Amino acid sequence: PPKTPASAPPPPVAKPAVFIPVNRTPEMQEERLKLPILAEEQAIMEAVAEHPIVIVCGETGSGKTTQVPQFLYEAGYSSEDSIIGVTEPRRVAAVAMSQRVAKEMNLSHRVVSYQIRYEGNVTEETRIKFMTDGVLLKEIQKDFLLLKYKVVIIDEAHERSVYTDILLGLLSRIVALRAKRHLPLKLLIMSATLRVEDFTQNQRLFTTPPPVIKVESRQFPVTVHFNKRTPLDDYSGECFRKVCKIHRMLPAGGILVFLTGQAEVHALCRRLRKAFPFRCSQPQEKEEDSAEGMRRFKKSRTRARKAQAMALPQINLDNYSVLPAGEGDEDREAEMDDEEEALGSDLDLDLGDSEANEGEQPDASLPLHVLPLYSLLAPEKQAQVFKPPPEGTRLCVVATNVAETSLTIPGIKYVVDCGKVKKRYYDRVTGVSSFRVTWVSQASADQRAGRAGRTEPGHCYRLYSSAVFGDFEQFPPPEITRRPVEDLILQMKALSIEKVINFPFPTPPSVEALVAAEELLVALGALQAPPKQERMKKLQMSQLSCPITALGRTMSTFPVAPRYAKMLALSQQHGCLPYTIAIVAAMTVRELFEELDRPAASEKELAELKGRRARVAQMKRTWAGQGPSLKLGDLMVLLGAVGACEYAGCSPQFCQANGLRYKAMLEIRRLRGQLTTAVNAVCPEAGLFLDPKMQPPTESQVTYLRQIMAAGLGDHLARRVQSEDLLDPKWKNAYKTPLLDDPVFIHPSSVLFKELPEFVVYQEIVETTKMYMKGVSTVEIQWIPSLLPSYCQFDAPLEEPAPSYCPESGQVLCHRASVFYRVGWPLPAVQVDFPEGIDRYKYFARFLLEGQVFRKLASFKSCLLSSPSTMLKTWARLQPRTETLLRALVAHKADSRDSLLAAWKKNPKYLLAEYCEWLPKAMHSDVEKNWPPTTDS
DNA sequence: GTTAGGGTT
């Protein structure tokens, strides 16, 4: 570019009039113009030009995810060396959005690309990159300033995924650092709700509140109907009755029911299918005897015909304000109670919420096409809900929360919301988790209602009163406040954020959660323990600012939980890595086995389920094996399952036959690939590869694996209760753990359920009817002090066996007995490093004098004026040479071979005089010639 | 002697 002459006036600082042309098809352009966000393009781009950080709020249907990246692209916010990054909380969204935007812009996926955990199509040409939030967090580890991005868009920020929250905290700092470097980075935060106070009112996060731009949405109106009464517990039954009424009384349109779990979903599906069977050519006779039955039958036939007629698209289904004449009037009056009449409540499609238990019997209404939907459902079965229902039927999807955010079902006009959600809870102190069903938040309830208005105006039936709704939490608490955070803390420490307490979290985790995370990471050796003298004072501060160790840095490169990362870090020896990788991958992917405990709908299905359950139980026993192999317990089952499945080519048939979830096994395969790459990156000499025909581990490898598992799960050690505790029947077959007063049990699905080994480690404790340990493996008592020293309180070194010198490590060793922390379980004495302190110097001095540390000194041993063992005698002080030598060692902290070598590096004459005191004068010159005695010759 | 929702590196 031509140089501006020094005398010329500075160029005007007007916004660059950049406009990157996009060659959209006319159809696409027309579609885009319908989106409300297009009206806000100028406002958004002006805000972005003037502010480093901008918040865009717009509900589903505003088009913000697809359009804002295009606005930025057209305004020149991407070039050869700077791209636009967009994060999504879900993989499917990242992939789908990249494809959608590429199509809208008429650009190749080489330009508009995606990157998710295992795959991506990013190229050098990429200008807009969609990715999962976790991917961007990992990228910050490699390039803290995110220099290849000119803009980062955090989408769905209102969902408050843990990675989104951490990203926002980091980006608030990165934006400032980039500004200092005159390489400005723009941050756009996109939220579907106006819940942005955690971002705007958080001074630590953003010192000046970023501007908020609101965008209209293109949602159709949804009429919300509350129940007058709130059922006490039978919300499933209430769902059933409401669906029946909608189906009988209301015009065409899909029904979406929100329930809380797999079992509930299946139960309601069965009940609804029975009530509205698919083939009902002949009406059921037995019910039509009574006049009431006949009346109902006639009515339902009428409705069925009407519903079919109304399915014609020309008819506006919402163009009436009361129920169609002659339909349901009696029912309505019968159901209306005085309160409702007095209040004159909105009768528009309000179905009432009477307890009338009609419709349990098969009904001649339109068949109802009932489909279950939950996350763990096989993808091909999930896909059913996206197809139009068979001709002449109404779609009814019975779903868990997966339909609230993750999956959008087309054609839903009615939503039935039980108002409940199942969530996992963690006990902050003990780590025990449980699942509880609670009321949803108002925001969730509104999100569920919104699912009825995607394609046309809709209705949402809430099976609780408006008063109860008023008592709901406004928003669900952010995920980061609800779960353990050791994985996040390790990631942050790897980014050199030592004082996590000062990190600008949008919403910080509790201090207990932060302390628990650092304690675990210290115990795993991933963080440096706080200095001992600070243990009492400022305990919490120092606990919350432990720096990362070399081991921690290695662990942070493994994309799994820190406990599992520790296992990987320990597995280089004895060829254990392929096995540890398989086990860790299987532990990380949840729900390996299909749920087969559902009640069967038919005799045939019952027989099939029984057969499959038996087969799975048999396979688990086979995989666990006998003897030493069985001691690895449920983790051996995981290894066996992964090995056998992979050997069979991971075919859907093999999975089906053995009760394994195909999707889970594919995820394990991909995770094994990723972990293999990650291990090779830190340990290239391992030369690991994924062997589809991996042989089972040898007997000794199984033992090493048990030790590796124990070392990673040290804080999850449990001991079988001793006979003296068995007086109380509640402790029968129970285990005790350091942090729990109550008994815990091996889960009945564990292969160790009947074995009852004395010591076990477990993957997790889930509280259901009891506190159950899952993922159990056995531990030998003598392993505990050597594998888990940070959880053991050691006694003084034993005199017998006597302390010794270790030629390999150059350290003083000794035997020490110990007890396990908090519970005081006595543990056998094992050989460990001699504890720091004066006695270690004494023993080191003795071994040095004996010539054990440096062989050169051995030749002088016979001439020593005192026995080396004098160093340890109580009367040692009576001999000044002991005291002199000891002081010299202490002064230079020389209590091991390495520390002594370091001292000699600084001063080669170090310790010469003190050593000479132990020898007759005649030998001093000989000693001097050979000083320091570090070479063998 | 079982009962687990939804995400992600």
Side-chain angles (χ1 to χ4, degrees):
Chain A
K3 262 192 168 178
T4 317
S7 57
V13 286
K15 286 166 229 151
V18 185
F19 185 79
I20 310 295
V22 173
N23 187 21
R24 296 187 186 87
T25 65
E27 301 80 41
M28 205 55 91
Q29 193 65 302
E30 200 182 323
E31 273 300 304
R32 279 186 88 216
L33 288 172
K34 293 180 193 160
L35 291 168
I37 192 145
L38 254 75
E40 305 295 332
E41 175 167 5
Q42 205 188 340
I44 292 170
M45 294 316 293
E46 276 175 14
V48 171
E50 285 162 23
H51 300 91
I53 303 165
V54 175
I55 300 175
V56 179
C57 289
E59 281 165 51
T60 335
S62 62
K64 60 187 187 315
T65 306
T66 52
Q67 303 311 311
V68 172
Q70 299 188 45
F71 300 162
L72 292 160
Y73 177 90
E74 291 184 279
Y77 279 93
S78 74
S79 61
E80 265 177 37
D81 53 357
S82 63
I83 64 174
I84 297 164
V86 190
T87 72
E88 296 290 331
R90 282 169 291 280
R91 292 181 198 159
V92 274
V95 177
M97 288 304 136
S98 81
Q99 289 166 347
R100 177 69 202 270
V101 170
K103 194 177 171 204
E104 281 196 25
M105 299 178 79
N106 213 356
L107 286 170
S108 142
H109 61 72
R110 297 178 62 80
V111 183
V112 182
S113 320
Y114 72 87
Q115 180 69 52
I116 60 175
R117 181 164 192 163
Y118 305 109
E119 58 179 74
N121 54 17
V122 173
T123 66
E124 329 69 70
E125 297 164 52
T126 297
R127 293 287 179 275
I128 302 177
K129 173 171 161 186
F130 286 85
M131 66 203 119
T132 37
D133 43 16
V135 165
L136 188 61
L137 189 55
K138 275 279 165 190
E139 281 187 21
I140 293 180
Q141 240 173 53
K142 293 188 199 97
D143 170 19
F144 189 84
L145 291 178
L146 291 175
L147 288 166
K148 72 170 170 241
Y149 297 94
K150 204 173 264 178
V151 186
V152 168
I153 303 173
I154 304 293
D155 198 17
E156 313 282 14
H158 65 284
E159 287 190 24
R160 306 296 304 275
S161 95
V162 288
Y163 295 121
T164 289
D165 270 18
I166 304 263
L167 276 176
L168 288 175
L170 287 167
L171 282 162
S172 75
R173 296 302 182 260
I174 294 169
V175 164
L177 290 168
R178 288 274 297 265
K180 262 191 210 161
R181 287 216 188 173
H182 304 291
L183 295 164
L185 172 72
K186 298 290 184 184
L187 171 61
L188 272 90
I189 302 170
M190 305 217 283
S191 170
T193 64
L194 281 170
R195 178 218 204 165
V196 288
E197 297 89 67
D198 288 346
F199 309 144
T200 56
Q201 305 306 309
N202 184 334
Q203 288 268 315
R204 190 138 52 129
L205 184 62
F206 303 129
T207 32
T208 43
V212 178
I213 297 172
K214 290 173 201 168
V215 184
E216 291 302 303
S217 85
R218 204 182 47 169
Q219 279 280 94
F220 294 94
V222 174
T223 313
V224 172
H225 312 265
F226 287 100
N227 258 21
K228 293 188 298 291
R229 288 175 295 274
T230 305
L232 284 178
D233 45 33
D234 184 24
Y235 53 82
S236 283
E238 190 67 11
C239 280
F240 174 74
R241 289 184 284 274
K242 193 66 78 179
V243 172
C244 288
K245 282 186 184 172
I246 292 171
H247 186 47
R248 293 205 180 94
M249 297 166 74
L250 299 183
I255 306 171
L256 171 59
V257 185
F258 282 100
L259 279 176
T260 71
Q262 252 186 75
E264 271 174 24
V265 164
H266 280 296
L268 181 57
C269 283
R270 269 198 309 279
R271 224 172 141 186
L272 285 168
R273 282 175 184 147
K274 211 170 144 199
F276 302 104
F278 224 76
R279 314 214 175 279
C280 54
S281 42
Q282 64 273 42
Q284 307 272 316
E285 292 301 328
K286 60 175 182 201
E287 236 241 314
E288 311 313 329
D289 296 344
S290 67
E292 168 63 19
M294 188 58 80
R295 188 186 65 87
R296 199 181 282 169
F297 171 60
K298 280 183 179 163
K299 238 165 58 179
S300 61
R301 292 300 293 261
T302 323
R303 280 189 206 114
R305 279 196 298 276
K306 281 204 176 177
Q308 261 171 329
M310 284 182 182
L312 296 169
Q314 295 92 329
I315 296 166
N316 182 349
L317 297 176
D318 291 275
N319 194 10
Y320 51 87
S321 55
V322 291
L323 286 173
E327 192 173 289
D329 288 349
E330 298 127 299
D331 278 353
R332 289 223 56 78
E333 271 170 29
E335 281 167 20
M336 251 198 296
D337 64 15
D338 296 343
E339 186 196 0
E340 182 170 338
E341 261 178 335
L343 292 171
S345 79
D346 58 331
L347 293 183
D348 181 4
L349 295 182
D350 200 330
L351 296 167
D353 50 310
S354 82
E355 294 289 316
N357 200 8
E358 57 179 304
E360 284 283 4
Q361 298 303 317
D363 184 297
S365 300
L366 267 186
L368 196 58
H369 185 52
V370 184
L371 294 173
L373 184 67
Y374 47 86
S375 168
L376 292 176
L377 190 68
E380 64 272 17
K381 287 183 181 159
Q382 282 188 358
Q384 299 298 316
V385 307
F386 301 109
K387 295 192 208 156
E391 194 95 354
T393 69
R394 186 204 289 269
L395 176 67
C396 175
V397 176
V398 184
T400 62
N401 231 16
V402 72
E404 189 181 302
T405 48
S406 302
L407 296 173
T408 301
I409 308 149
I412 295 299
K413 186 174 170 65
Y414 307 99
V415 161
V416 176
D417 176 18
C418 76
K420 302 277 183 156
V421 67
K422 188 181 280 171
K423 270 187 175 177
R424 188 173 190 150
Y425 286 78
Y426 292 91
D427 184 303
R428 273 199 202 122
V429 178
T430 64
V432 171
S433 62
S434 57
F435 288 85
R436 285 182 225 159
V437 173
T438 60
W439 289 117
V440 296
S441 65
Q442 292 183 352
S444 288
D446 290 341
Q447 172 76 14
R448 290 178 176 186
R451 295 303 189 172
R454 300 283 296 171
T455 40
E456 56 172 322
H459 293 269
C460 173
Y461 296 89
R462 291 181 172 164
L463 307 183
Y464 42 90
S465 71
S466 54
V468 167
F469 176 80
D471 287 341
F472 286 0
E473 294 278 348
Q474 227 184 327
F475 300 104
E479 190 70 30
I480 201 167
T481 63
R482 304 195 62 254
R483 73 164 183 79
V485 292
E486 61 264 4
D487 53 341
L488 307 173
I489 299 305
L490 182 59
Q491 294 302 308
M492 289 166 62
K493 298 276 177 173
L495 293 169
S496 305
I497 299 162
E498 265 174 27
K499 294 197 170 127
V500 289
I501 195 91
N502 293 339
F503 184 78
F505 293 104
T507 307
S510 71
V511 174
E512 299 121 278
L514 292 174
V515 169
E518 295 224 2
E519 276 175 356
L520 174 64
L521 292 171
V522 166
L524 290 171
L527 302 181
Q528 269 171 42
K532 276 213 172 100
Q533 58 270 28
E534 281 183 42
R535 277 268 156 94
M536 290 312 192
K537 214 178 168 188
K538 290 181 173 179
L539 177 70
Q540 215 165 61
M541 251 341 269
S542 56
Q543 270 176 335
L544 289 172
S545 45
C546 303
I548 195 165
T549 61
L551 171 62
R553 219 164 263 292
T554 301
M555 284 167 58
S556 76
T557 68
F558 300 146
V560 287
R563 291 184 184 89
Y564 304 159
K566 171 77 182 256
M567 297 174 186
L568 292 172
L570 287 176
S571 298
Q572 301 97 321
Q573 295 170 75
H574 311 291
C576 285
L577 268 171
Y579 304 116
T580 302
I581 286 173
I583 295 171
V584 161
M587 288 197 289
T588 300
V589 174
R590 57 179 202 137
E591 306 299 327
L592 227 62
F593 292 95
E594 221 181 304
E595 175 63 56
L596 296 174
D597 283 341
R598 58 174 183 272
S602 64
E603 286 295 318
K604 196 183 147 213
E605 199 194 341
L606 182 73
E608 192 220 316
L609 277 175
K610 265 191 175 169
R612 288 184 70 198
R613 280 200 287 260
R615 159 100 183 161
V616 172
Q618 177 53 45
M619 286 315 290
K620 277 190 181 180
R621 283 192 295 272
T622 307
W623 288 327
Q626 295 292 317
S629 162
L630 181 62
K631 289 187 169 179
L632 186 51
D634 301 321
L635 307 185
M636 189 66 217
V637 174
L638 295 183
L639 181 57
V642 172
C645 185
E646 205 58 44
Y647 197 89
C650 201
S651 69
Q653 294 77 13
F654 181 89
C655 293
Q656 166 74 16
N658 294 287
L660 296 167
R661 268 180 58 234
Y662 179 58
K663 208 178 156 192
M665 299 314 290
L666 284 183
E667 179 82 10
I668 289 172
R669 168 186 267 193
R670 298 201 287 179
L671 183 49
R672 283 175 71 203
Q674 195 189 25
L675 292 178
T676 302
T677 309
V679 169
N680 277 331
V682 295
C683 183
E685 63 273 20
L688 272 188
F689 61 97
L690 261 196
D691 181 3
K693 306 280 175 192
M694 181 170 72
Q695 294 304 302
T698 64
E699 213 175 287
S700 62
Q701 279 175 324
V702 170
T703 307
Y704 290 124
L705 286 169
R706 288 170 59 207
Q707 297 183 353
I708 288 163
M709 299 299 126
L713 294 170
D715 63 325
H716 286 175
L717 184 71
R719 186 173 78 150
R720 180 105 156 77
V721 292
Q722 302 301 291
S723 48
E724 62 265 27
D725 294 323
L726 281 171
L727 298 170
D728 187 343
K730 81 168 181 177
W731 285 91
K732 187 171 181 263
N733 296 336
Y735 284 74
K736 178 83 183 79
T737 69
L739 296 180
L740 284 159
D741 292 328
D742 291 318
V744 300
F745 299 86
I746 295 180
H747 193 273
S749 68
S750 167
V751 286
L752 295 174
F753 178 63
K754 286 181 180 149
E755 303 288 322
L756 298 170
E758 189 187 3
F759 282 97
V760 296
V761 282
Y762 58 86
Q763 195 184 344
E764 59 173 354
I765 295 180
V766 181
E767 185 173 12
T768 53
T769 53
K770 284 176 173 177
M771 279 197 266
Y772 283 115
M773 296 182 279
K774 305 182 107 179
V776 180
S777 177
T778 65
V779 175
E780 303 300 327
I781 187 169
Q782 66 273 22
W783 295 352
I784 298 169
S786 13
L787 291 174
L788 304 169
S790 51
Y791 294 107
C792 298
Q793 289 148 7
F794 286 91
D795 297 344
L798 294 181
E799 309 244 325
E800 219 25 74
S804 61
Y805 177 75
C806 173
E808 286 77 34
S809 67
Q811 308 259 12
V812 180
L813 301 179
C814 65
H815 281 77
R816 299 175 81 185
S818 59
V819 295
F820 205 67
Y821 81 123
R822 295 181 72 119
V823 275
W825 299 328
L827 300 169
V830 292
Q831 198 170 49
V832 290
D833 284 343
F834 201 101
E836 264 181 61
I838 193 71
D839 284 349
R840 183 152 87 182
Y841 288 100
K842 289 182 183 172
Y843 275 102
F844 185 65
R846 174 191 163 169
F847 299 132
L848 183 70
L849 292 166
E850 283 175 348
Q852 290 203 54
V853 184
F854 298 107
R855 291 183 55 191
K856 244 184 185 174
L857 297 186
S859 52
F860 299 110
K861 191 184 166 192
S862 54
C863 309
L864 289 173
L865 298 172
S866 309
S867 159
S869 62
T870 315
M871 288 305 303
L872 283 315
K873 304 294 186 202
T874 44
W875 42 266
R877 276 169 183 260
L878 297 176
Q879 299 223 356
R881 63 174 68 91
T882 62
E883 206 60 6
T884 322
L885 179 60
L886 195 58
R887 285 215 183 118
L889 289 171
V890 171
H892 289 80
K893 295 192 169 142
D895 59 359
S896 70
R897 183 181 57 209
D898 289 349
S899 51
L900 181 52
L901 287 170
W904 272 328
K905 217 168 186 181
K906 280 190 209 146
N907 173 16
K909 294 285 168 210
Y910 169 60
L911 220 57
L912 175 59
E914 292 81 357
Y915 182 69
C916 283
E917 280 190 37
W918 289 73
L919 288 168
K921 270 225 163 72
M923 305 188 71
H924 289 189
S925 69
D926 194 20
V927 173
E928 203 166 344
K929 264 189 279 171
N930 287 294
W931 205 259
T934 50
T935 50
D936 272 346
S937 53

